Amino acid sequence: MSLLEVRNLSIDYLREDGTALHAVEEVGFTLEESRSLGLVGESGCGKTTAIQGILRLLPAQGRIVSGEVLYRGTDLFSLSEEEMRKYRWKHLSIVFQGSMNALNPVRQVGSQIADAIKMHEPANNGRQVEARVHHLLDLVGITPQRSRHYPHQYSGGMRQRAMIAMALACSPDILIADEPTTALDVMIQAQILDLLQKLQKELALSIILVTHDLGVVAEMCDDVLVMYGGRTAEYASVDTIFNNAQHPYTLRLLQAFPDVANPSSKLASIPGYPPPLDAMPRGCRFEPRCHRKRAICAEQIPALEAIQPGHYVACPFREDN
Amino acid sequence: MERNEPQGEVVLRVRGLRTLFPVPRGLTGALLRKPQGYVHAVDGVSFSMVRGEILGLVGESGSGKTTTALNVLGLVDATEGELLFKGQSIPELAHSRGRMRLRQEMQIVFQDPYEALNPRQTVFESVAEPLEIHRLVTNRADKIERVAAALDAAGLKPPGSFFDRYPQGLSGGQRQRVVIAGALVLNPDLLVADEPVSMLDVSIRAEILNLLRQVRDERGITILYITHDLATAAYFTDRIAVMYLGRIVEIGPTANVLSDPRHPYTKALLSVVPIPNPRRRRKRLILTGETPNPIDLPSGCRFHPRCPIASEQCTRTDPQLESVNADHQVACIKWADVPAIDEIDGDADRQHLKETQS
């Protein structure tokens, strides 16, 4: 049994006039223990919505249309809200995008981390909670004395570490990190990625990394799911994605990403821009920007096919065909 | 003859630039007669740019790259140093009737195209406004022609189809093109591009950088590219200047700096830029802590507290730029024998990841 299996997940946003926008369609993946999955795509591709759906934390207009999220075989969508609450933090935990700016500015960082522990593990006494907070801070490389400091006394990198500590408060097996390094300087980004790798090893954590940064994915992840227009474009091991990509979008995205070790390589942008939710192409989502499109692409949504064990591509006109 | 200066007509010359911002002392500070503190935003920066070159000013937040750019634009006054634009003093121009000329001949493209455009102005109005401010057009036909030419040069084709559109109807890439058109419409000599692609989706960053390069090729515009991103700088620039705590620590032709970095900070920075290929995972030299506070600068070399190869002398000697070769300068007393990343003990570092500053 897999640690986490997401099957056929589709999520809509309802508009005021009652019509639905399809933000995520038929997305699925498997996450094993101590593995890391990169969820990659440009803004508006549905990666954050998919994560919110998995945790059942969608905004009010969001609706899960179909799908299953199996955590060690239990379907999270079949649980009551009360039961689901027990899974969050204890089994699956998340560091939201930009959450380092969500710390309460007038409360000590340590006591904010303690809240999470008290809420989910009320059996702990005060001393146990404090010891746990100190342990968590130590784990993320913050000296425990800093637990009494306020967020403004922390730098951006330290606030992000504190958010990671908070997410680990109830010892989850799965940590979801949504763009954890996006607003940080390169060196701080490297420190945070290094920390995530260390935690993954020490705590046998599984990580889902949501990002638009292919470089970060290449350095951090075992498997990669490339999303475009709410759908899976390609899903494979990290080596396959970077060295044997088959979907035209994956290939073009790789060509658009600058490589500091190979600066003379040609950098080619993808013409056009990602489709807005309210104007999705009828057929393949990538068709309007695709360099390999045929007539049928505008009509029919391509099925996700396994072209090799563990390598899924949603394009019949892929590179090796 | 200035060092590190390629051949050609010098458009911009910066020498010994320092920009300090006073730190408010507060009431207690004043009562206790504490000495006035200063943020040393830029602290001894010199470089030149020749016509048609693209120089990347690369650094992390707090390195002084943006302040340097604002000094160059005459938007923030420097404390000390010489700033010459086509041979004329920028501070003098900025504080006289020459200001209008300066504003016309130097343009800036900001980071966020979502905020740089007035949502109530059409594309035409946004791009035409600089022409009106500088009284460069006398009649409507002329205005239309020049706006259309600028939009066309910025790759918004056909230009007429964009005239009446508002920013909210445009994609991020198109908005940045409108911003670029607004800069080009004045035919500037120098364009400062402050993180022009960092807010854009990966798939459209290249087209904006390619556009800026094309503008340089066709019009000979000199471009100062301000960024924290070595990967785009590697791709886009002719020369790179790496900044740390208000100083240029290394400057040279892009290919040289990337293939043969000499400063330990440049080496570390290069080693942590994620490489988009798992088969090329390499040793990263992750520096501990963060860039120190530019109010109390470290003694000697300002990089020494974080430098993996710092020696006792580095705590005393403030290194100046020295020539590695004719075009490549570095400010490190050990530049001739900085070991390769693989030979630097990264683990000594790692222990300290547990940050120690209080």
Side-chain angles (χ1 to χ4, degrees), chain A residues 42-43 138 141-143 146 149 155-158 161 184-191 193-194 197 212-222 238-239 242-243 249 253-254 256-263 265-274 289, chain B residues 59-62 65 165 169 171 174 200-210 228-232 234-235 254 258 265 268-282 284-291 306 350 353-358:
Chain A
E42 299 177 87
S43 48
D138 189 55
I142 296 176
T143 45
R146 284 245 186 189
H149 286 185
S155 66
M158 288 178 65
R161 286 169 192 267
L184 300 172
D185 270 323
V186 208
M187 197 54 76
I188 311 298
Q189 164 174 309
Q191 291 173 357
L193 296 179
D194 195 56
Q197 279 171 330
H212 68 280
D213 190 330
L214 289 169
V216 168
V217 168
E219 305 230 346
M220 285 286 297
C221 297
D222 301 309
V238 71
D239 188 67
F242 284 89
N243 293 296
Y249 174 62
L253 197 60
L254 288 167
F257 199 83
D259 179 353
V260 77
N262 192 10
S265 64
K266 239 186 111 207
L267 205 54
S269 56
I270 309 178
Y273 43 89
R289 302 173 79 190
Chain B
E60 299 182 85
S61 27
K65 56 189 193 300
R165 294 175 68 178
S171 70
Q174 287 172 329
L200 302 176
D201 267 320
V202 177
S203 71
I204 44 188
R205 286 182 187 178
E207 73 178 46
I208 296 297
L209 293 177
N210 287 343
H228 69 282
D229 181 6
L230 265 171
T232 55
Y235 167 74
T254 302
L258 295 180
Y265 178 65
L269 214 49
L270 268 171
S271 82
V272 300
V273 177
I275 300 288
N277 195 327
R279 289 187 188 172
R280 287 188 279 128
R281 278 183 195 163
R282 37 186 192 152
R284 293 180 293 176
L285 179 63
I286 301 177
L287 299 174
T288 58
E290 303 188 7
T291 310
R306 300 175 76 198
R350 207 141 294 214
L353 250 184
K354 212 168 271 183
E355 55 75 62
T356 43
Q357 321 123 278
S358 57

Side-chain angles (χ1 to χ4, degrees), chain B residues 9-290:
Chain B
E9 177 204 344
V10 176
V11 173
L12 179 71
R13 172 163 288 161
V14 176
R15 247 195 306 235
L17 183 68
R18 293 182 80 210
T19 305
L20 313 184
F21 298 111
V23 185
R25 273 186 296 183
L27 184 59
T28 24
L31 289 174
L32 296 172
R33 292 172 192 259
K34 279 197 183 161
Q36 173 70 53
Y38 290 96
V39 173
H40 298 70
V42 180
D43 198 14
V45 162
S46 302
F47 66 92
S48 296
M49 293 181 73
V50 296
R51 182 168 297 279
E53 89 162 315
I54 303 178
L55 173 69
L57 218 46
V58 181
E60 299 182 85
S61 27
S63 63
K65 56 189 193 300
T66 296
T67 306
T68 303
L70 294 174
N71 290 151
V72 164
L73 289 160
L75 294 174
V76 167
D77 286 334
T79 312
E80 233 178 85
E82 188 177 53
L83 286 151
L84 297 176
F85 176 58
K86 297 197 289 185
Q88 280 189 284
S89 158
I90 292 171
E92 274 174 35
L93 288 171
H95 290 283
S96 70
R97 298 176 64 102
R99 189 186 308 130
M100 287 304 272
R101 215 198 86 207
L102 197 65
R103 296 279 178 270
Q104 184 184 335
E105 295 180 359
M106 286 183 180
Q107 285 290 308
I108 181 161
V109 173
F110 288 105
Q111 179 172 12
D112 189 349
Y114 293 85
E115 291 190 359
L117 292 171
N118 183 338
R120 291 169 177 276
Q121 277 185 337
T122 62
V123 167
F124 182 86
E125 287 164 348
S126 285
V127 178
E129 193 173 18
L131 289 173
E132 289 155 12
I133 290 171
H134 289 274
R135 301 208 178 92
L136 293 175
V137 281
T138 44
N139 59 59
R140 182 148 177 91
D142 189 21
K143 196 197 301 188
I144 290 172
E145 191 179 317
R146 293 182 69 162
V147 170
L151 289 174
D152 190 73
L156 293 168
K157 295 173 188 177
S161 69
F162 287 91
F163 279 2
D164 297 326
R165 294 175 68 178
Y166 285 90
Q168 67 264 32
L170 303 176
S171 70
Q174 287 172 329
R175 288 182 210 208
Q176 197 60 299
R177 286 173 184 272
V178 174
V179 173
I180 291 170
L184 294 181
V185 78
L186 293 176
N187 265 322
D189 290 301
L190 179 72
L191 188 67
V192 174
D194 190 355
E195 302 276 15
V197 297
S198 65
M199 301 285 289
L200 302 176
D201 267 320
V202 177
S203 71
I204 44 188
R205 286 182 187 178
E207 73 178 46
I208 296 297
L209 293 177
N210 287 343
L211 167 67
L212 288 171
R213 188 142 65 180
Q214 186 189 337
V215 162
R216 184 277 302 267
D217 292 345
E218 288 170 3
R219 303 181 169 213
I221 294 181
T222 310
I223 300 178
L224 183 60
Y225 177 56
I226 312 291
T227 188
H228 69 282
D229 181 6
L230 265 171
T232 55
Y235 167 74
F236 176 57
T237 61
D238 302 317
R239 285 195 302 149
I240 283 183
V242 179
M243 290 191 71
Y244 185 79
L245 263 184
R247 285 274 176 87
I248 290 177
V249 296
E250 184 155 12
I251 182 168
T254 302
N256 272 21
V257 172
L258 295 180
S259 63
D260 186 22
R262 294 304 181 119
H263 199 286
Y265 178 65
T266 315
K267 285 195 185 222
L269 214 49
L270 268 171
S271 82
V272 300
V273 177
I275 300 288
N277 195 327
R279 289 187 188 172
R280 287 188 279 128
R281 278 183 195 163
R282 37 186 192 152
K283 185 172 168 189
R284 293 180 293 176
L285 179 63
I286 301 177
L287 299 174
T288 58
E290 303 188 7

